[in-house]
DNA sequence: ACAATAGTTAAGTGATCACTTCAGTGTTCC
DNA sequence: GGAACACTGAAGTGATCACTTAACTATTGT
């Protein structure tokens, strides 16, 4: 469920750009239109739309058009998938360190 | 502490490449040399070294050279920083949804 | 009907990316 | 000392990126 490498590629790639992270940050406080997302950014509306398309293709956001306004919102499941990938690797490493610590403590006892 | 946009850029960018994620995955199971990391990958050793430099510059791994062998290991704090950025945005969104749900439930009671 | 609004699309540009090959450097083993 | 080993660095290449401008569509307000 959403764990294929291609999707992770798209998500991490999408998050790699500061403008796109800023959009995600804004959306984490609630849905917004394209112009609202563009407002704090020093770039053309066209560029913003392109970033938005990257975010949507990655699955990190979902958009819906009503009249002439496109409303964007966060897709928390996608965020969770990225989060989960990182978390699993970090935990694997930390569990390994714990086991190593236990081992060293034991061999010290037996010296 | 590690939350500046530039560092996050580097980390997410580093994680955006499948080869680099594969290396991080391998390293999550324990330290490895450059050649060990290269072994499952279908690319030149030189390319692997370049990926490794990207990972190290991002802070996601740390490397140490002993004799002619460079040993690479994961830097869990960096993983935690990336994880944390995503987690905060996701939680902000989900808390918002909860509040919205409460509000709707209340207004329904008062109808 | 007309103008303003909200967004979309296409084409182009310069920068960065993910490699490659090839020619090194320093290290260990015999 | 010399061969094999484990990288390292520089240069080049084709692909992708993050924009820009400009021309366009569809919707809303007067």
């Amino acid at each position: 469920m959403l764990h294929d490498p291609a999707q992770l590629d798209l998500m991490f790639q999408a998050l790699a750009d500061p403008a796109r992270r800023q959009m995600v940050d804004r959306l984490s406080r609630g849905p917004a239109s394209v112009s609202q997302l563009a407002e704090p950014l020093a770039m053309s509306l066209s560029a913003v739309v392109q970033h938005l398309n990257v975010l949507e293709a990655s699955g990190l956001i979902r958009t819906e058009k009503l009249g002439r306004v496109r409303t964007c919102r966060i897709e928390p499941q996608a965020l969770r998938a990225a989060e989960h990938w990182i978390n699993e690797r970090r935990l694997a490493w930390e569990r390994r360190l714990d086991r190593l610590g236990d081992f060293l403590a034991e061999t010290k006892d037996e010296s």
Side-chain angles (χ1 to χ4, degrees), chain A:
Chain A
M1 46 131 107
L2 263 159
H3 280 214
D4 64 299
Q7 195 74 5
L8 284 170
D9 266 27
L10 292 174
M11 289 193 294
F12 284 121
Q13 195 127 192
L15 291 173
D17 187 277
R20 285 192 295 257
R21 276 204 312 282
Q22 201 175 326
M23 294 183 197
V24 169
D25 188 47
R26 165 65 187 80
L27 290 175
S28 76
R29 306 187 216 302
S33 71
V34 175
S35 327
Q36 285 173 331
L37 287 171
E39 195 255 334
L41 297 168
M43 65 178 72
S44 72
L45 194 65
S46 188
V48 171
V49 169
Q50 288 171 57
H51 280 306
L52 233 32
N53 291 340
V54 171
L55 283 169
E56 188 161 26
S58 79
L60 285 169
I61 71 168
R62 186 164 44 87
T63 75
E64 189 184 2
K65 193 149 186 175
L66 258 152
R68 61 185 167 178
V69 173
R70 179 152 88 148
T71 303
C72 312
R73 63 190 74 245
I74 272 189
E75 199 60 79
Q77 284 185 335
L79 282 177
R80 201 180 271 120
E83 213 179 318
H84 188 237
W85 189 93
I86 302 178
N87 188 248
E88 276 192 336
R89 271 76 204 170
R90 184 172 63 79
L91 286 184
W93 173 263
E94 287 173 352
R95 277 193 298 267
R96 209 194 129 268
L97 281 193
D98 285 351
R99 282 197 304 277
L100 193 62
D102 290 353
F103 172 73
L104 290 178
E106 271 181 49
T107 50
K108 197 181 173 187
D109 287 354
E110 290 163 14
S111 65

